[in-house]
Every structure is written in C-alpha cells, then in structure tokens.
C-alpha cells in the first residue's frame, strides 16, 4: 500500500498576522497555533500535513499546482484572494485534487465585497465561520475525501 499523501493547508494574505489581526473577528490563535492543531488532527487521522502561508497570489497558484501530484486534498484559506482571484479559481479547476475553501470568519455575514467567492465557485466545498475550528473541520473533510480517492469503494 502506498503511503497516504499529505493534506496541504495553504494560507493566503495577512493570515501570518493572526493572533493580533482584528482578534474580534479572527480570534486570538496564531497561525503557528493553527498549524500545530491541524498537524495533530491530521496525525490522529493517519495523515501528515504541508502547511504554508504566502501574501503572494502567484505563490499560492504554484503551491496548488504542486498539490496536483503530491497532496491527498487541499485546505485553502485564500484570505482576500478568495473574492478576487480568477488565477486561484483556474488553478483549483486545473489540479483535480479536492480543495476545501476554509475561513475563520463567515464572509456571508460580513461586507458585501466578501459575498462573492471565486475560490468557492471552483472548490469542492466550503467551511467558514467557526474560528480556528474551521481548519480542524476542514482537515477532517480533507482526510475523508483523500481516503475516498485513495481507496475507492467498489
Ligand atoms: C478570511 C475571510 C476573508 O474575507 C478575509 O479577506 C481574510 C480572512 C477568513 O479566514 O475569515 O483575510 O479568509
């Protein structure tokens, strides 16, 4: 049996500032706290993770392309690029690996410009509004999807 592929957890702009960034919206957990919690939950489910953050749109596109062969599934919090990036939308469609759009806050309850998600229009599904717990729910969904792909039922 081949090793289960890792779950990629990709984070977009300004998420490096978690912990101090608008804590009334995003909570007090830092990105390092979230990484540790994701690694633990994924390990409980028999998977490793690759956890990354960039403020640069093209870097996120490169990582999505890398995930095409290397990831079992992708948890993507694209931050503000969620609402603007045709490039991320196209990359998600191109790679054929399930991508779970993930947000700490619930963009549907916030400003109107956050109500459109170009990422969500290409993603397998969306988990939003649970604070840092959104990532753990997304890891669970990602692990289940990866299991289905790697060991399809007859
Ligand atoms: C976010 C929501 C986005 O609208 C925002 O631009 C972010 C964070 C979230 O996790 O709630 O940067 O993706």
């Amino acid at each position: 049996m081949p090793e289960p592929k890792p779950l990629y957890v990709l984070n977009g702009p300004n998420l490096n500032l978690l912990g101090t960034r608008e804590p009334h919206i995003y909570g007090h957990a830092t990105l390092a706290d979230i990484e540790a919690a994701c690694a633990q939950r994924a390990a409980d489910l028999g998977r490793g993770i690759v956890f990354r953050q960039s403020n640069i749109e093209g870097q996120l596109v490169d990582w999505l392309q890398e995930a095409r062969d290397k990831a079992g599934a992708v948890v993507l919090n694209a931050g503000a690029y969620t609402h603007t990036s045709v490039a991320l939308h196209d990359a998600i469609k191109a790679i054929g690996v399930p991508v779970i759009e993930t947000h700490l806050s619930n963009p549907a309850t916030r400003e109107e410009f956050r109500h459109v998600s170009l990422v969500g229009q290409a993603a397998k599904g969306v988990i939003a509004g649970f604070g840092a717990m959104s990532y753990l729910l997304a890891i669970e969904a990602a692990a289940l999807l990866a299991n289905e792909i790697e060991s399809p039922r007859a």
Side-chain angles (χ1 to χ4, degrees), residues 13-15 21 25-26 77-83 102-107 110 113-114 135:
N14 300 307
L15 293 166
R21 174 191 181 200
I25 297 175
Y26 298 116
N77 184 352
Y81 292 139
T82 302
H83 316 297
T102 305
H103 300 285
L104 295 142
S105 67
N106 180 357
R110 300 181 61 197
F113 62 83
R114 296 183 206 277
Y135 280 78

Side-chain angles (χ1 to χ4, degrees), residues 64-153:
L64 283 167
Q65 290 188 10
E66 179 186 309
R68 180 183 209 169
D69 299 321
K70 297 205 169 138
V74 178
V75 173
L76 174 62
N77 184 352
Y81 292 139
T82 302
H83 316 297
T84 61
S85 178
V86 177
L88 288 179
H89 174 104
D90 286 351
I92 293 165
K93 287 224 159 145
I95 63 174
V97 171
V99 173
I100 299 153
E101 176 185 353
T102 305
H103 300 285
L104 295 142
S105 67
N106 180 357
T109 63
R110 300 181 61 197
E111 304 95 323
E112 195 139 343
F113 62 83
R114 296 183 206 277
H115 295 180
V116 169
S117 172
L118 301 187
V119 164
Q121 289 174 36
K124 176 83 176 167
V126 183
I127 296 174
F130 300 98
M133 198 204 305
S134 290
Y135 280 78
L136 300 182
L137 296 170
I139 287 285
E140 298 210 359
L144 289 169
L145 289 167
N147 288 349
E148 261 175 30
I149 291 163
E150 289 170 14
S151 315
R153 280 167 201 266

